[in-house]
mmCIF file of all heavy atoms in Angstrom:
data_model
loop_
_atom_site.group_PDB
_atom_site.id
_atom_site.type_symbol
_atom_site.label_atom_id
_atom_site.label_comp_id
_atom_site.label_asym_id
_atom_site.label_seq_id
_atom_site.Cartn_x
_atom_site.Cartn_y
_atom_site.Cartn_z
ATOM 1 N N ARG T 1459 16.893 -24.036 -35.788
ATOM 2 C CA ARG T 1459 17.663 -25.112 -36.581
ATOM 3 C C ARG T 1459 18.552 -25.951 -35.763
ATOM 4 O O ARG T 1459 18.770 -27.124 -35.974
ATOM 5 C CB ARG T 1459 18.499 -24.407 -37.713
ATOM 6 C CG ARG T 1459 17.683 -23.813 -38.747
ATOM 7 C CD ARG T 1459 18.560 -23.267 -39.849
ATOM 8 N NE ARG T 1459 17.885 -22.632 -40.968
ATOM 9 C CZ ARG T 1459 18.478 -22.060 -42.002
ATOM 10 N NH1 ARG T 1459 19.785 -22.131 -42.143
ATOM 11 N NH2 ARG T 1459 17.702 -21.516 -42.980
ATOM 12 N N VAL T 1460 19.189 -25.376 -34.730
ATOM 13 C CA VAL T 1460 20.209 -26.062 -33.837
ATOM 14 C C VAL T 1460 19.509 -26.759 -32.707
ATOM 15 O O VAL T 1460 19.709 -27.893 -32.312
ATOM 16 C CB VAL T 1460 21.259 -25.194 -33.378
ATOM 17 C CG1 VAL T 1460 22.250 -25.945 -32.490
ATOM 18 C CG2 VAL T 1460 22.027 -24.665 -34.689
ATOM 19 N N TRP T 1461 18.618 -26.008 -32.021
ATOM 20 C CA TRP T 1461 17.943 -26.539 -30.872
ATOM 21 C C TRP T 1461 16.448 -26.970 -31.073
ATOM 22 O O TRP T 1461 15.817 -27.385 -30.008
ATOM 23 C CB TRP T 1461 17.933 -25.483 -29.709
ATOM 24 C CG TRP T 1461 19.384 -25.165 -29.248
ATOM 25 C CD1 TRP T 1461 20.184 -23.972 -29.483
ATOM 26 C CD2 TRP T 1461 20.196 -26.088 -28.506
ATOM 27 N NE1 TRP T 1461 21.322 -24.163 -28.900
ATOM 28 C CE2 TRP T 1461 21.488 -25.347 -28.204
ATOM 29 C CE3 TRP T 1461 19.999 -27.330 -27.871
ATOM 30 C CZ2 TRP T 1461 22.517 -25.980 -27.564
ATOM 31 C CZ3 TRP T 1461 21.122 -27.824 -27.204
ATOM 32 C CH2 TRP T 1461 22.280 -27.155 -27.026
ATOM 33 N N SER T 1462 15.936 -26.827 -32.191
ATOM 34 C CA SER T 1462 14.546 -27.261 -32.617
ATOM 35 C C SER T 1462 13.617 -26.589 -31.644
ATOM 36 O O SER T 1462 12.590 -27.156 -31.212
ATOM 37 C CB SER T 1462 14.395 -28.702 -32.517
ATOM 38 O OG SER T 1462 15.257 -29.377 -33.378
ATOM 39 N N ILE T 1463 13.761 -25.234 -31.366
ATOM 40 C CA ILE T 1463 12.798 -24.483 -30.522
ATOM 41 C C ILE T 1463 11.834 -23.687 -31.424
ATOM 42 O O ILE T 1463 12.271 -22.876 -32.258
ATOM 43 C CB ILE T 1463 13.598 -23.530 -29.687
ATOM 44 C CG1 ILE T 1463 14.452 -24.245 -28.676
ATOM 45 C CG2 ILE T 1463 12.605 -22.621 -28.916
ATOM 46 C CD1 ILE T 1463 15.537 -23.415 -27.982
ATOM 47 N N SER T 1464 10.577 -23.960 -31.371
ATOM 48 C CA SER T 1464 9.571 -23.393 -32.287
ATOM 49 C C SER T 1464 8.435 -22.741 -31.571
ATOM 50 O O SER T 1464 7.582 -22.031 -32.150
ATOM 51 C CB SER T 1464 9.130 -24.432 -33.324
ATOM 52 O OG SER T 1464 8.515 -25.545 -32.644
ATOM 53 N N GLU T 1465 8.318 -23.059 -30.325
ATOM 54 C CA GLU T 1465 7.196 -22.542 -29.424
ATOM 55 C C GLU T 1465 7.536 -21.312 -28.681
ATOM 56 O O GLU T 1465 8.650 -21.174 -28.174
ATOM 57 C CB GLU T 1465 6.632 -23.577 -28.567
ATOM 58 C CG GLU T 1465 6.080 -24.728 -29.470
ATOM 59 C CD GLU T 1465 5.312 -25.853 -28.548
ATOM 60 O OE1 GLU T 1465 5.375 -25.616 -27.282
ATOM 61 O OE2 GLU T 1465 4.898 -26.833 -29.053
ATOM 62 N N GLY T 1466 6.507 -20.444 -28.480
ATOM 63 C CA GLY T 1466 6.720 -19.172 -27.625
ATOM 64 C C GLY T 1466 7.097 -18.009 -28.525
ATOM 65 O O GLY T 1466 7.276 -18.161 -29.746
ATOM 66 N N ASP T 1467 6.895 -16.784 -27.966
ATOM 67 C CA ASP T 1467 7.269 -15.729 -28.698
ATOM 68 C C ASP T 1467 8.764 -15.457 -28.966
ATOM 69 O O ASP T 1467 9.546 -16.361 -28.526
ATOM 70 C CB ASP T 1467 6.784 -14.273 -27.954
ATOM 71 C CG ASP T 1467 7.355 -14.133 -26.521
ATOM 72 O OD1 ASP T 1467 8.567 -14.536 -26.505
ATOM 73 O OD2 ASP T 1467 6.772 -13.459 -25.798
ATOM 74 N N GLU T 1468 9.171 -14.572 -29.779
ATOM 75 C CA GLU T 1468 10.622 -14.475 -30.118
ATOM 76 C C GLU T 1468 11.494 -14.330 -29.001
ATOM 77 O O GLU T 1468 12.560 -15.125 -28.980
ATOM 78 C CB GLU T 1468 10.792 -13.195 -31.153
ATOM 79 C CG GLU T 1468 10.127 -13.472 -32.537
ATOM 80 C CD GLU T 1468 10.598 -12.334 -33.458
ATOM 81 O OE1 GLU T 1468 11.196 -11.309 -33.023
ATOM 82 O OE2 GLU T 1468 10.253 -12.436 -34.593
ATOM 83 N N ASP T 1469 11.268 -13.545 -28.024
ATOM 84 C CA ASP T 1469 12.203 -13.313 -26.895
ATOM 85 C C ASP T 1469 12.314 -14.551 -26.179
ATOM 86 O O ASP T 1469 13.406 -14.958 -25.736
ATOM 87 C CB ASP T 1469 11.690 -12.186 -26.101
ATOM 88 C CG ASP T 1469 11.951 -10.793 -26.611
ATOM 89 O OD1 ASP T 1469 12.703 -10.718 -27.732
ATOM 90 O OD2 ASP T 1469 11.352 -9.838 -26.198
ATOM 91 N N ALA T 1470 11.183 -15.313 -25.914
ATOM 92 C CA ALA T 1470 11.133 -16.525 -25.194
ATOM 93 C C ALA T 1470 12.073 -17.597 -25.951
ATOM 94 O O ALA T 1470 12.822 -18.349 -25.294
ATOM 95 C CB ALA T 1470 9.820 -17.057 -24.972
ATOM 96 N N ARG T 1471 11.932 -17.658 -27.250
ATOM 97 C CA ARG T 1471 12.728 -18.723 -28.023
ATOM 98 C C ARG T 1471 14.325 -18.333 -27.949
ATOM 99 O O ARG T 1471 15.034 -19.159 -27.808
ATOM 100 C CB ARG T 1471 12.286 -18.726 -29.421
ATOM 101 C CG ARG T 1471 11.031 -19.516 -29.695
ATOM 102 C CD ARG T 1471 10.561 -19.542 -31.091
ATOM 103 N NE ARG T 1471 9.734 -18.343 -31.391
ATOM 104 C CZ ARG T 1471 9.677 -17.708 -32.549
ATOM 105 N NH1 ARG T 1471 10.351 -18.110 -33.571
ATOM 106 N NH2 ARG T 1471 8.896 -16.647 -32.796
ATOM 107 N N ILE T 1472 14.528 -17.089 -28.034
ATOM 108 C CA ILE T 1472 15.900 -16.552 -27.965
ATOM 109 C C ILE T 1472 16.528 -16.999 -26.506
ATOM 110 O O ILE T 1472 17.582 -17.483 -26.538
ATOM 111 C CB ILE T 1472 16.066 -15.138 -28.321
ATOM 112 C CG1 ILE T 1472 15.821 -14.823 -29.745
ATOM 113 C CG2 ILE T 1472 17.396 -14.515 -27.821
ATOM 114 C CD1 ILE T 1472 15.760 -13.325 -30.085
ATOM 115 N N GLU T 1473 15.767 -16.584 -25.531
ATOM 116 C CA GLU T 1473 16.346 -16.782 -24.123
ATOM 117 C C GLU T 1473 16.469 -18.316 -23.923
ATOM 118 O O GLU T 1473 17.532 -18.809 -23.335
ATOM 119 C CB GLU T 1473 15.395 -16.355 -23.107
ATOM 120 C CG GLU T 1473 15.805 -16.582 -21.624
ATOM 121 C CD GLU T 1473 17.273 -16.171 -21.344
ATOM 122 O OE1 GLU T 1473 17.802 -15.272 -21.906
ATOM 123 O OE2 GLU T 1473 17.881 -16.871 -20.540
ATOM 124 N N GLN T 1474 15.506 -19.144 -24.438
ATOM 125 C CA GLN T 1474 15.704 -20.644 -24.266
ATOM 126 C C GLN T 1474 16.927 -21.217 -25.108
ATOM 127 O O GLN T 1474 17.556 -22.026 -24.579
ATOM 128 C CB GLN T 1474 14.358 -21.294 -24.822
ATOM 129 C CG GLN T 1474 14.398 -22.782 -24.544
ATOM 130 C CD GLN T 1474 13.020 -23.490 -25.015
ATOM 131 O OE1 GLN T 1474 12.161 -22.779 -25.449
ATOM 132 N NE2 GLN T 1474 12.917 -24.801 -24.993
ATOM 133 N N ALA T 1475 17.153 -20.668 -26.264
ATOM 134 C CA ALA T 1475 18.287 -21.101 -26.982
ATOM 135 C C ALA T 1475 19.673 -20.710 -26.217
ATOM 136 O O ALA T 1475 20.520 -21.537 -26.167
ATOM 137 C CB ALA T 1475 18.291 -20.469 -28.354
ATOM 138 N N ILE T 1476 19.683 -19.473 -25.660
ATOM 139 C CA ILE T 1476 20.874 -19.107 -24.894
ATOM 140 C C ILE T 1476 21.004 -19.984 -23.632
ATOM 141 O O ILE T 1476 22.102 -20.471 -23.341
ATOM 142 C CB ILE T 1476 20.831 -17.650 -24.577
ATOM 143 C CG1 ILE T 1476 20.839 -16.751 -25.838
ATOM 144 C CG2 ILE T 1476 21.958 -17.210 -23.664
ATOM 145 C CD1 ILE T 1476 20.470 -15.275 -25.602
ATOM 146 N N ARG T 1477 19.852 -20.192 -23.051
ATOM 147 C CA ARG T 1477 19.926 -21.048 -21.811
ATOM 148 C C ARG T 1477 20.382 -22.576 -22.186
ATOM 149 O O ARG T 1477 21.233 -22.977 -21.419
ATOM 150 C CB ARG T 1477 18.516 -21.102 -21.180
ATOM 151 C CG ARG T 1477 18.374 -22.093 -19.997
ATOM 152 C CD ARG T 1477 19.429 -22.074 -18.938
ATOM 153 N NE ARG T 1477 19.515 -20.746 -18.350
ATOM 154 C CZ ARG T 1477 20.425 -20.467 -17.474
ATOM 155 N NH1 ARG T 1477 21.458 -21.239 -17.112
ATOM 156 N NH2 ARG T 1477 20.374 -19.243 -16.940
ATOM 157 N N ARG T 1478 19.936 -23.076 -23.193
ATOM 158 C CA ARG T 1478 20.401 -24.365 -23.555
ATOM 159 C C ARG T 1478 21.844 -24.345 -23.988
ATOM 160 O O ARG T 1478 22.489 -25.450 -23.812
ATOM 161 C CB ARG T 1478 19.473 -24.995 -24.665
ATOM 162 C CG ARG T 1478 18.009 -25.186 -24.160
ATOM 163 C CD ARG T 1478 17.111 -25.797 -25.245
ATOM 164 N NE ARG T 1478 17.489 -27.128 -25.613
ATOM 165 C CZ ARG T 1478 16.816 -28.019 -26.419
ATOM 166 N NH1 ARG T 1478 15.653 -27.392 -26.970
ATOM 167 N NH2 ARG T 1478 17.157 -29.169 -26.643
ATOM 168 N N THR T 1479 22.302 -23.314 -24.523
ATOM 169 C CA THR T 1479 23.754 -23.292 -24.868
ATOM 170 C C THR T 1479 24.587 -23.265 -23.507
ATOM 171 O O THR T 1479 25.499 -24.037 -23.471
ATOM 172 C CB THR T 1479 23.959 -21.976 -25.695
ATOM 173 O OG1 THR T 1479 23.209 -21.922 -26.816
ATOM 174 C CG2 THR T 1479 25.465 -21.890 -26.117
ATOM 175 N N GLN T 1480 24.100 -22.522 -22.655
ATOM 176 C CA GLN T 1480 24.809 -22.466 -21.388
ATOM 177 C C GLN T 1480 24.754 -23.777 -20.691
ATOM 178 O O GLN T 1480 25.764 -24.187 -20.043
ATOM 179 C CB GLN T 1480 24.118 -21.437 -20.560
ATOM 180 C CG GLN T 1480 24.944 -20.758 -19.434
ATOM 181 C CD GLN T 1480 24.421 -19.498 -18.898
ATOM 182 O OE1 GLN T 1480 23.409 -18.900 -19.400
ATOM 183 N NE2 GLN T 1480 24.918 -18.982 -17.771
ATOM 184 N N ASP T 1481 23.608 -24.375 -20.691
ATOM 185 C CA ASP T 1481 23.467 -25.749 -19.990
ATOM 186 C C ASP T 1481 24.341 -26.795 -20.848
ATOM 187 O O ASP T 1481 24.978 -27.595 -20.150
ATOM 188 C CB ASP T 1481 21.966 -26.176 -20.202
ATOM 189 C CG ASP T 1481 21.074 -25.424 -19.301
ATOM 190 O OD1 ASP T 1481 21.631 -24.719 -18.301
ATOM 191 O OD2 ASP T 1481 19.829 -25.535 -19.500
ATOM 192 N N PHE T 1482 24.602 -26.654 -22.102
ATOM 193 C CA PHE T 1482 25.469 -27.501 -22.722
ATOM 194 C C PHE T 1482 26.913 -27.376 -22.344
ATOM 195 O O PHE T 1482 27.695 -28.324 -22.030
ATOM 196 C CB PHE T 1482 25.347 -27.303 -24.309
ATOM 197 C CG PHE T 1482 26.424 -28.055 -25.091
ATOM 198 C CD1 PHE T 1482 26.360 -29.432 -25.136
ATOM 199 C CD2 PHE T 1482 27.321 -27.345 -25.839
ATOM 200 C CE1 PHE T 1482 27.294 -30.131 -25.869
ATOM 201 C CE2 PHE T 1482 28.238 -28.042 -26.498
ATOM 202 C CZ PHE T 1482 28.227 -29.461 -26.600
ATOM 203 N N PHE T 1483 27.322 -26.028 -22.121
ATOM 204 C CA PHE T 1483 28.656 -25.847 -21.683
ATOM 205 C C PHE T 1483 28.845 -26.564 -20.283
ATOM 206 O O PHE T 1483 29.776 -27.234 -19.943
ATOM 207 C CB PHE T 1483 28.980 -24.358 -21.529
ATOM 208 C CG PHE T 1483 29.107 -23.704 -22.850
ATOM 209 C CD1 PHE T 1483 29.015 -22.216 -22.973
ATOM 210 C CD2 PHE T 1483 29.089 -24.325 -24.029
ATOM 211 C CE1 PHE T 1483 28.994 -21.754 -24.199
ATOM 212 C CE2 PHE T 1483 29.199 -23.839 -25.279
ATOM 213 C CZ PHE T 1483 29.073 -22.337 -25.297
ATOM 214 N N GLU T 1484 27.879 -26.313 -19.362
ATOM 215 C CA GLU T 1484 27.885 -26.900 -18.082
ATOM 216 C C GLU T 1484 27.936 -28.416 -18.149
ATOM 217 O O GLU T 1484 28.629 -29.141 -17.339
ATOM 218 C CB GLU T 1484 26.652 -26.528 -17.263
ATOM 219 C CG GLU T 1484 26.631 -24.918 -16.980
ATOM 220 C CD GLU T 1484 27.411 -24.540 -15.680
ATOM 221 O OE1 GLU T 1484 27.855 -25.527 -14.974
ATOM 222 O OE2 GLU T 1484 27.483 -23.363 -15.534
ATOM 223 N N GLN T 1485 27.068 -28.967 -19.068
ATOM 224 C CA GLN T 1485 27.104 -30.479 -19.300
ATOM 225 C C GLN T 1485 28.588 -30.966 -19.726
ATOM 226 O O GLN T 1485 28.943 -32.062 -19.326
ATOM 227 C CB GLN T 1485 26.093 -30.809 -20.313
ATOM 228 C CG GLN T 1485 25.969 -32.400 -20.588
ATOM 229 C CD GLN T 1485 25.004 -32.703 -21.669
ATOM 230 O OE1 GLN T 1485 24.647 -31.803 -22.464
ATOM 231 N NE2 GLN T 1485 24.685 -33.974 -21.828
ATOM 232 N N MET T 1486 29.299 -30.195 -20.393
ATOM 233 C CA MET T 1486 30.667 -30.467 -20.736
ATOM 234 C C MET T 1486 31.662 -30.280 -19.746
ATOM 235 O O MET T 1486 32.836 -30.396 -19.852
ATOM 236 C CB MET T 1486 31.065 -29.662 -22.023
ATOM 237 C CG MET T 1486 30.227 -30.114 -23.217
ATOM 238 S SD MET T 1486 30.261 -31.955 -23.665
ATOM 239 C CE MET T 1486 32.030 -32.289 -23.769
ATOM 240 N N GLY T 1487 31.178 -29.831 -18.495
ATOM 241 C CA GLY T 1487 32.070 -29.634 -17.309
ATOM 242 C C GLY T 1487 32.727 -28.225 -17.366
ATOM 243 O O GLY T 1487 33.687 -28.035 -16.537
ATOM 244 N N VAL T 1488 32.236 -27.280 -18.189
ATOM 245 C CA VAL T 1488 32.948 -26.006 -18.202
ATOM 246 C C VAL T 1488 31.889 -25.021 -17.570
ATOM 247 O O VAL T 1488 30.868 -24.823 -18.103
ATOM 248 C CB VAL T 1488 33.243 -25.628 -19.689
ATOM 249 C CG1 VAL T 1488 34.050 -24.331 -19.671
ATOM 250 C CG2 VAL T 1488 33.992 -26.738 -20.363
ATOM 251 N N LYS T 1489 32.191 -24.340 -16.496
ATOM 252 C CA LYS T 1489 31.307 -23.554 -15.828
ATOM 253 C C LYS T 1489 31.254 -22.191 -16.540
ATOM 254 O O LYS T 1489 32.152 -21.828 -17.191
ATOM 255 C CB LYS T 1489 31.858 -23.287 -14.241
ATOM 256 C CG LYS T 1489 31.914 -24.508 -13.444
ATOM 257 C CD LYS T 1489 30.553 -25.145 -13.274
ATOM 258 C CE LYS T 1489 30.408 -26.336 -12.336
ATOM 259 N NZ LYS T 1489 29.232 -26.956 -12.047
ATOM 260 N N THR T 1490 30.042 -21.475 -16.207
ATOM 261 C CA THR T 1490 29.682 -20.366 -17.074
ATOM 262 C C THR T 1490 29.598 -19.072 -16.377
ATOM 263 O O THR T 1490 29.095 -18.075 -16.994
ATOM 264 C CB THR T 1490 28.444 -20.724 -17.747
ATOM 265 O OG1 THR T 1490 27.312 -20.947 -16.814
ATOM 266 C CG2 THR T 1490 28.436 -21.934 -18.754
ATOM 267 N N ARG T 1491 29.997 -19.009 -15.112
ATOM 268 C CA ARG T 1491 29.945 -17.664 -14.321
ATOM 269 C C ARG T 1491 31.269 -17.406 -13.741
ATOM 270 O O ARG T 1491 31.949 -18.197 -13.355
ATOM 271 C CB ARG T 1491 28.790 -17.768 -13.352
ATOM 272 C CG ARG T 1491 27.423 -18.026 -13.848
ATOM 273 C CD ARG T 1491 26.347 -17.586 -12.942
ATOM 274 N NE ARG T 1491 25.062 -17.516 -13.627
ATOM 275 C CZ ARG T 1491 24.599 -16.530 -14.274
ATOM 276 N NH1 ARG T 1491 25.250 -15.396 -14.418
ATOM 277 N NH2 ARG T 1491 23.325 -16.656 -14.812
ATOM 278 N N LEU T 1492 31.499 -16.042 -13.685
ATOM 279 C CA LEU T 1492 32.752 -15.577 -13.002
ATOM 280 C C LEU T 1492 32.879 -16.124 -11.702
ATOM 281 O O LEU T 1492 33.878 -16.505 -11.179
ATOM 282 C CB LEU T 1492 32.731 -14.061 -13.062
ATOM 283 C CG LEU T 1492 32.968 -13.320 -14.322
ATOM 284 C CD1 LEU T 1492 32.740 -11.910 -14.128
ATOM 285 C CD2 LEU T 1492 34.408 -13.483 -14.802
ATOM 286 N N SER T 1493 31.717 -16.190 -10.884
ATOM 287 C CA SER T 1493 31.691 -16.714 -9.556
ATOM 288 C C SER T 1493 32.239 -18.052 -9.444
ATOM 289 O O SER T 1493 32.753 -18.624 -8.333
ATOM 290 C CB SER T 1493 30.310 -16.555 -8.895
ATOM 291 O OG SER T 1493 29.428 -17.200 -9.544
ATOM 292 N N ASP T 1494 32.084 -18.907 -10.519
ATOM 293 C CA ASP T 1494 32.541 -20.296 -10.518
ATOM 294 C C ASP T 1494 34.036 -20.319 -10.420
ATOM 295 O O ASP T 1494 34.687 -21.386 -10.156
ATOM 296 C CB ASP T 1494 31.996 -21.058 -11.705
ATOM 297 C CG ASP T 1494 30.566 -21.215 -11.752
ATOM 298 O OD1 ASP T 1494 29.945 -21.462 -10.675
ATOM 299 O OD2 ASP T 1494 29.972 -21.002 -12.931
ATOM 300 N N TYR T 1495 34.692 -19.175 -10.747
ATOM 301 C CA TYR T 1495 36.115 -19.137 -10.761
ATOM 302 C C TYR T 1495 36.676 -18.138 -9.691
ATOM 303 O O TYR T 1495 37.679 -17.709 -9.912
ATOM 304 C CB TYR T 1495 36.575 -18.806 -12.110
ATOM 305 C CG TYR T 1495 36.097 -19.680 -13.190
ATOM 306 C CD1 TYR T 1495 34.901 -19.401 -13.980
ATOM 307 C CD2 TYR T 1495 36.799 -21.015 -13.512
ATOM 308 C CE1 TYR T 1495 34.400 -20.319 -14.814
ATOM 309 C CE2 TYR T 1495 36.233 -21.884 -14.483
ATOM 310 C CZ TYR T 1495 35.152 -21.401 -15.176
ATOM 311 O OH TYR T 1495 34.584 -22.341 -16.045
ATOM 312 N N GLN T 1496 35.873 -17.982 -8.646
ATOM 313 C CA GLN T 1496 36.289 -17.121 -7.552
ATOM 314 C C GLN T 1496 36.575 -15.721 -7.929
ATOM 315 O O GLN T 1496 37.374 -14.947 -7.464
ATOM 316 C CB GLN T 1496 37.523 -17.546 -6.780
ATOM 317 C CG GLN T 1496 37.283 -18.890 -6.067
ATOM 318 C CD GLN T 1496 37.129 -20.129 -6.806
ATOM 319 O OE1 GLN T 1496 38.009 -20.428 -7.714
ATOM 320 N NE2 GLN T 1496 35.991 -20.802 -6.752
ATOM 321 N N LEU T 1497 35.799 -15.187 -9.062
ATOM 322 C CA LEU T 1497 35.853 -13.848 -9.645
ATOM 323 C C LEU T 1497 34.444 -13.261 -9.425
ATOM 324 O O LEU T 1497 33.462 -14.028 -9.214
ATOM 325 C CB LEU T 1497 36.262 -13.850 -11.044
ATOM 326 C CG LEU T 1497 37.706 -14.457 -11.303
ATOM 327 C CD1 LEU T 1497 37.854 -14.569 -12.800
ATOM 328 C CD2 LEU T 1497 38.767 -13.531 -10.683
ATOM 329 N N GLY T 1498 34.423 -11.994 -9.456
ATOM 330 C CA GLY T 1498 33.183 -11.310 -9.320
ATOM 331 C C GLY T 1498 33.076 -9.874 -9.852
ATOM 332 O O GLY T 1498 33.986 -9.448 -10.627
ATOM 333 N N ALA T 1499 32.176 -9.140 -9.356
ATOM 334 C CA ALA T 1499 32.025 -7.708 -9.864
ATOM 335 C C ALA T 1499 33.270 -6.900 -9.672
ATOM 336 O O ALA T 1499 33.477 -5.906 -10.353
ATOM 337 C CB ALA T 1499 30.720 -7.124 -9.284
#
């Protein structure tokens, strides 16, 4: 409904939706990994 993803098996669709969410945050200039903020394991 939000990303219009209809192709692929369930797991592939879910991962694509999560990836597009992450990409959207990056597009808004907000980094998505601890390492982007000098943090880590």
Side-chain angles (χ1 to χ4, degrees):
R1459 293 186 182 179
V1460 175
W1461 294 109
S1462 301
I1463 297 169
S1464 57
E1465 296 184 358
D1467 62 28
E1468 288 188 355
D1469 287 346
R1471 279 178 276 154
I1472 288 171
E1473 177 54 31
Q1474 188 178 349
I1476 297 171
R1477 169 52 59 186
R1478 291 182 68 173
T1479 304
Q1480 201 164 353
D1481 290 346
F1482 172 63
F1483 294 164
E1484 296 273 353
Q1485 184 182 11
M1486 293 307 303
V1488 186
K1489 297 297 183 180
T1490 59
R1491 295 198 172 277
L1492 287 168
S1493 56
D1494 294 318
Y1495 305 94
Q1496 292 72 56
L1497 300 172

